[in-house]
Amino acid sequence: MNYNLDGIPISNYGARPTLAGQALSLHGIFDLPKRVGKTEHNWGTSIEPFVNEKDIELDGRSLTLHAAVNSAGLDSFIQACMACEELGFDYDVIGVVCKDEIQVRKINSWFVVTVPFWQDVYEVGSLDINPSASGLFRLDDFDLRRDFGVYVSESNNLFNTAKRIDIPTTEFYTRANYRASRDITLRCSMMRQSFAGVYQSMKRFHSLLMAPGMRTLATPNKTLEVYFKSGISVRAVTRNILQFNITATRCDNNI
């Protein structure tokens, strides 16, 4: 993968990409930021999700570049990172700012540099595919495996019931049928034939998760109405295999 700072390859500064716990030198490019602002309201007898288009606002996200730099280019590389406004790689260019500490470790004649960037504005793309309406795990009729290359290995809290909504009263509150929201976690991996494939699939997946309205989550044993607010943190195992958890919020309400 080739990386550049404001259109200039990092190799011009005597730098080359290095790996640090993942298969890619730039961490965070698959992450979906969490929602910000008010995402739901507790009415005392029910939880109302805020899922209209105007309600859905995303936080920024962190992008971390790992590089090895020779001694001659270290200062110019760090200066270029601090001044960088556009961080580019083979398939995209991202508007960033380097606001946090740059970490440098000397190893023999090289310097290992960890550069944290912040992407303040993240916008999901368009969902430009049609749902397959098949498969064991579906989201709004999209087959997670066929349409996005997403494989679900485990689910947590799928069959539980949320805790009751507690109302402060002078006497012990006895109503137990008004229920709050709960989070359902799916442990997932994504696999495509290439980096380009997983990058495009993940962008489409982001679009589906953050689309206005509620989502219908269908599993082999249960179908639920859910919405997404927590974002996704993704680990690149290889250039075309990703691991991550998705958290769906379910409002059990009056049961």
Side-chain angles (χ1 to χ4, degrees):
M1 188 81 69
N2 299 305
Y3 301 96
N4 60 73
L5 307 171
D6 292 325
I8 300 175
I10 64 172
S11 58
N12 285 25
Y13 302 106
R16 63 188 186 191
T18 60
L19 303 183
Q22 297 193 36
L24 299 172
S25 300
L26 183 59
H27 297 183
I29 56 175
F30 298 105
D31 291 357
L32 172 64
K34 68 181 185 299
R35 282 183 54 184
V36 295
K38 192 169 184 178
T39 60
E40 60 190 35
H41 182 75
N42 185 343
W43 291 101
T45 57
S46 65
I47 304 296
E48 178 188 0
F50 289 172
V51 292
N52 291 330
E53 184 175 3
K54 62 182 177 59
D55 298 320
I56 300 174
E57 181 181 355
L58 298 182
D59 198 3
R61 63 177 184 174
S62 297
L63 301 168
T64 306
L65 179 63
H66 299 268
V69 190
N70 61 38
S71 57
L74 179 62
D75 289 341
S76 60
F77 177 71
I78 290 176
Q79 291 298 320
C81 289
M82 290 191 296
C84 182
E85 296 180 354
E86 291 188 339
L87 175 62
F89 57 99
D90 292 351
Y91 299 91
D92 211 344
V93 177
I94 301 171
V96 296
V97 62
C98 181
K99 65 176 184 176
D100 293 321
E101 180 184 14
I102 298 175
Q103 298 180 358
V104 181
R105 293 185 297 116
K106 190 176 188 304
I107 299 180
N108 298 323
S109 61
W110 287 84
F111 293 88
V112 177
V113 184
T114 302
V115 187
F117 292 100
W118 176 255
Q119 180 183 4
D120 194 54
V121 178
Y122 179 77
E123 296 180 356
V124 296
S126 60
L127 187 56
D128 55 358
I129 59 174
N130 295 318
S132 297
S134 62
L136 296 178
F137 288 89
R138 301 185 306 279
L139 202 57
D140 286 357
D141 279 339
F142 285 93
D143 182 339
L144 294 188
R145 179 176 297 188
R146 178 178 296 180
D147 296 333
F148 302 102
V150 171
Y151 298 76
V152 179
S153 61
E154 183 181 349
S155 63
N156 292 315
N157 207 16
L158 183 63
F159 300 99
N160 294 1
T161 299
K163 67 179 183 179
R164 77 172 187 175
I165 300 174
D166 281 321
I167 304 296
T169 59
T170 55
E171 297 183 359
F172 180 68
Y173 183 64
T174 59
R175 294 296 298 267
N177 61 315
Y178 298 145
R179 293 283 158 169
S181 61
R182 60 188 169 96
D183 288 337
I184 299 164
T185 302
L186 302 180
R187 182 173 295 178
C188 303
S189 59
M190 177 183 286
M191 182 185 303
R192 289 301 199 194
Q193 292 185 344
S194 64
F195 171 86
V198 292
Y199 190 66
Q200 188 61 46
S201 286
M202 185 57 80
K203 289 173 73 70
R204 289 172 175 152
F205 195 47
H206 289 183
S207 300
L208 176 60
L209 296 182
M210 290 301 167
M214 299 292 288
R215 309 271 76 79
T216 300
L217 173 64
T219 75
N221 301 299
K222 201 171 185 66
T223 298
L224 298 168
E225 293 296 306
V226 300
Y227 73 106
F228 296 87
K229 62 180 181 179
S230 302
I232 307 175
S233 180
V234 181
R235 179 176 178 267
V237 181
T238 69
R239 289 173 60 89
N240 65 317
I241 299 177
L242 312 176
Q243 290 181 341
F244 55 94
N245 293 338
I246 58 173
T247 301
T249 301
R250 160 75 175 178
C251 298
D252 285 331
N253 290 331
N254 193 343
I255 60 175

